[in-house]
Amino acid sequence: QHPALQGLQEEEWELGIDEAGRGPVLGPMVYGACFCPSNKLEALKQLGFADSKTLTEEKRENLFVKIKECEWLGWSVIVLSARELSGGMLQKARYNLNAISHDTAIDLIKGAINDGVNLKKVFVDTVGDPERYETKLSGLFPSIEFTVRKKADSLFPIVSAASICAKVTRDNALRNTAFTETGVEI
């Protein structure tokens, strides 16, 4: 879901990954990725990204519009329904939430690569042990430098942007959910 970006192969790009909705019992878990050329990192900081949980809903929405309109930012999301998550975790050969999260992040990286993005650095908000997760990703994508950290969304603006993509997408999904229970409003 990113615009037709120029210079995907010529320039070096950095990508951030974060999720929204991992803990709540309501709605989907959404993984977001945002990427930009390495030479635009200062411009990215100037847009005012921060951990989506620290921003008002209006500020998140405004920043998401900036992401979508920016000619040098790309983004994508993967929405995992509660049914998908429960189905994986409850099947005979259990597919735990950490494995689901890792595989979803890997799919976002593969998607950017398949779209022709010349990824050189990827920053990920950790799920589980950051060192093991970083080693796993580095083994799968040896030409990419990985940084996996707790609270990466508050440390790296590109992860903050990914956090906003995930959170706004999840908020919109919740607003558009039809509940069969009476008296439930979002």
Side-chain angles (χ1 to χ4, degrees):
Q1 290 192 359
H2 53 81
L5 301 166
Q6 300 297 315
L8 292 175
Q9 283 297 324
E10 294 80 33
E11 297 185 55
E12 293 186 355
W13 291 70
E14 299 190 12
L15 179 137
I17 297 175
D18 196 16
E19 50 71 32
R22 184 172 163 87
V25 294
L26 185 65
M29 181 168 70
V30 178
Y31 262 78
C34 193
F35 52 94
C36 75
S38 298
N39 64 7
K40 293 287 189 182
L41 291 177
E42 257 328 294
L44 179 69
K45 287 179 188 176
Q46 300 306 315
L47 293 176
F49 290 104
D51 176 2
S52 67
K53 293 179 284 299
T54 67
L55 302 172
T56 65
E57 184 175 359
E58 181 181 6
K59 180 71 172 167
R60 286 191 303 265
E61 291 279 351
N62 290 338
L63 286 169
F64 192 45
V65 168
K66 285 183 182 181
I67 291 168
K68 292 189 289 186
E69 291 176 349
C70 185
E71 60 189 35
W72 46 264
L73 279 176
W75 64 280
S76 62
V77 295
I78 295 176
V79 179
L80 301 166
S81 71
R83 182 173 301 207
E84 285 177 273
L85 295 170
S86 295
M89 292 186 297
L90 297 174
Q91 65 190 4
K92 192 171 189 172
R94 298 205 177 184
Y95 187 30
N96 72 43
L97 195 53
N98 282 3
I100 292 168
S101 295
H102 288 190
D103 289 347
T104 304
I106 290 164
D107 286 345
L108 286 167
I109 295 165
K110 286 179 180 176
I113 292 168
N114 290 341
D115 285 344
V117 180
N118 182 19
L119 288 181
K120 291 299 175 189
K121 294 182 181 180
V122 173
F123 300 86
V124 183
D125 193 48
T126 195
V127 172
D129 179 79
E131 289 179 13
R132 286 183 27 199
Y133 192 12
E134 193 171 299
T135 299
K136 176 181 182 175
L137 293 170
S138 295
L140 292 169
F141 305 99
S143 65
I144 299 173
E145 178 185 330
F146 285 91
T147 302
V148 179
R149 297 287 183 274
K150 291 180 181 183
K151 305 290 182 194
D153 49 348
S154 61
L155 300 172
F156 307 105
I158 196 67
V159 180
S160 302
S163 176
I164 287 164
C165 295
K167 179 73 172 135
V168 172
T169 299
R170 184 175 190 282
D171 288 349
N172 288 334
L174 281 172
R175 265 195 296 282
N176 296 323
T177 299
F179 294 98
T180 56
E181 296 82 5
T182 58
V184 176
E185 291 183 29
I186 301 289

